[in-house]
């Protein structure tokens, strides 16, 4: 079972920052937080991951609270192409733990 | 260049038939996966192979038999298809053992069992 809780849906205006929350209150010390998204029935796409420090890449930023019980994915300037279902996943990294356990995710709709 | 490809994209068949879905990755990864996404959009792992060896089998019925002829290919054969097998099947690959373990997904195969 997924160990994360996300709001089922969110809207965001085009050009604004989209902030997607995720609760993972039972996360263990060796579990990473991963974010994937799925655009309209395509295969899921990796976005970003982190352990305890904030992370940023060309797609997004990941903010993890100090107690690691929650995190926020930030899409800094949302475009219409960012409309998708976003999945927050926690798992232990390393060989034999590669499976991704997807929850229900957040359906993000970018509004023109 | 397509990183992870699947064939066919669509598959419509009758109950009781046997069918196969093929998956190929050209990323040089050593780990491949099959996921199933049902009509309610729940995405769940079925199998994982590392260097042609099965490492994850998520209590999938034995009508489903993955086969990995080499580490670039992971095919899924399904015997005696049932209505409940209708779903979208995604193949994925990654370089196993790394922390990032970014998984690259194929475009999916939509299976419809009538």
């Amino acid at each position: 079972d997924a160990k994360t809780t996300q709001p089922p849906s969110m809207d965001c205006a085009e050009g604004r920052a989209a902030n997607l929350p995720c609760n993972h209150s039972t996360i263990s010390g060796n579990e990473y937080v991963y974010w994937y998204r799925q655009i309209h029935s395509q295969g899921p796409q990796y976005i970003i991951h982190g352990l305890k420090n904030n992370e940023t890449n060309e797609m997004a930023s990941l903010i993890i609270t100090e107690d690691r019980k929650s995190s926020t994915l930030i899409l800094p300037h949302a475009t219409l192409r960012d409309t998708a279902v976003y999945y927050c996943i926690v798992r232990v990294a390393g060989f034999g733990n590669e499976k991704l356990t997807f929850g229900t995710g957040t359906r993000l709709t970018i509004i023109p | 260049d397509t990183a992870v490809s699947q064939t066919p994209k669509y598959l419509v068949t009758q109950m009781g038939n046997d069918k196969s879905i093929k998956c190929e990755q050209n990323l040089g990864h050593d780990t491949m996966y099959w996921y199933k996404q049902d009509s309610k959009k729940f995405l769940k792992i079925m199998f994982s192979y590392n260097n042609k060896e099965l490492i994850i089998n998520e209590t999938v019925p034995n009508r489903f038999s993955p086969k990995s002829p080499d580490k670039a290919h992971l095919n899924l054969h399904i015997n005696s298809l049932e209505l409940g097998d209708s779903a979208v099947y995604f193949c994925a690959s990654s370089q196993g053992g790394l922390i990032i373990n970014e998984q690259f997904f194929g475009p999916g195969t939509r299976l419809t069992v009538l």
Side-chain angles (χ1 to χ4, degrees):
Chain A
D1 291 334
K3 297 164 61 175
T4 62
T5 304
Q6 299 176 250
S9 64
M10 293 180 63
D11 293 339
C12 179
E14 187 179 16
R16 304 298 292 268
N19 297 286
L20 292 93
C22 179
N23 285 323
H24 30 80
S25 58
T26 60
I27 192 169
S28 302
N30 60 350
E31 288 185 308
Y32 286 72
V33 180
Y34 292 77
W35 284 83
Y36 278 73
R37 72 181 181 183
Q38 187 175 23
I39 298 173
H40 186 57
S41 299
Q42 296 178 21
Q45 176 190 24
Y46 166 85
I47 301 172
I48 200 168
H49 80 284
L51 182 62
K52 53 184 178 181
N53 296 323
N54 297 339
E55 302 290 342
T56 295
N57 63 19
E58 64 278 4
M59 289 181 69
S61 294
L62 174 60
I63 308 299
I64 303 174
T65 58
E66 194 167 344
D67 63 7
R68 301 209 324 122
K69 293 185 176 182
S70 65
S71 60
T72 301
L73 178 74
I74 301 172
L75 307 177
H77 304 288
T79 70
L80 297 178
R81 287 177 293 181
D82 292 322
T83 292
V85 178
Y86 287 77
Y87 297 98
C88 171
I89 300 165
V90 297
R91 70 171 185 90
V92 177
F95 183 75
N97 295 305
E98 289 86 349
K99 72 175 183 180
L100 296 173
T101 301
F102 289 85
T104 53
T106 295
R107 180 173 297 279
L108 176 67
T109 302
I110 306 302
I111 301 170
Chain B
D1 285 344
T2 302
V4 182
S5 59
Q6 297 179 226
T7 54
K9 188 170 177 62
Y10 300 97
L11 185 54
V12 181
T13 188
Q14 300 286 334
M15 263 196 323
N17 285 350
D18 304 337
K19 291 293 180 184
S20 292
I21 306 172
K22 295 185 176 182
C23 178
E24 176 181 2
Q25 54 95 5
N26 63 5
L27 298 167
H29 290 159
D30 60 5
T31 305
M32 296 185 71
Y33 314 80
W34 278 109
Y35 288 83
K36 177 181 179 181
Q37 188 165 40
D38 62 23
S39 57
K40 296 184 178 178
K41 301 296 184 181
F42 288 117
L43 190 60
K44 188 171 182 182
I45 190 166
M46 300 173 69
F47 301 103
S48 171
Y49 270 72
N50 177 266
N51 281 320
K52 304 191 297 177
E53 184 177 340
L54 179 68
I55 57 172
I56 294 174
N57 181 340
E58 289 289 306
T59 61
V60 178
N62 57 15
R63 297 184 296 105
F64 291 78
S65 53
K67 287 185 172 50
S68 182
D70 55 62
K71 71 176 191 178
H73 297 83
L74 181 62
N75 303 322
L76 184 65
H77 188 77
I78 316 170
N79 290 326
S80 304
L81 278 155
E82 300 177 356
L83 294 177
D85 298 332
S86 295
V88 181
Y89 292 84
F90 289 100
C91 177
S93 74
S94 71
Q95 190 57 35
L98 301 178
I99 289 176
I100 184 170
N101 188 237
E102 177 182 352
Q103 294 189 18
F104 292 79
F105 284 77
T109 295
R110 182 174 295 276
L111 171 65
T112 303
V113 182
L114 303 175

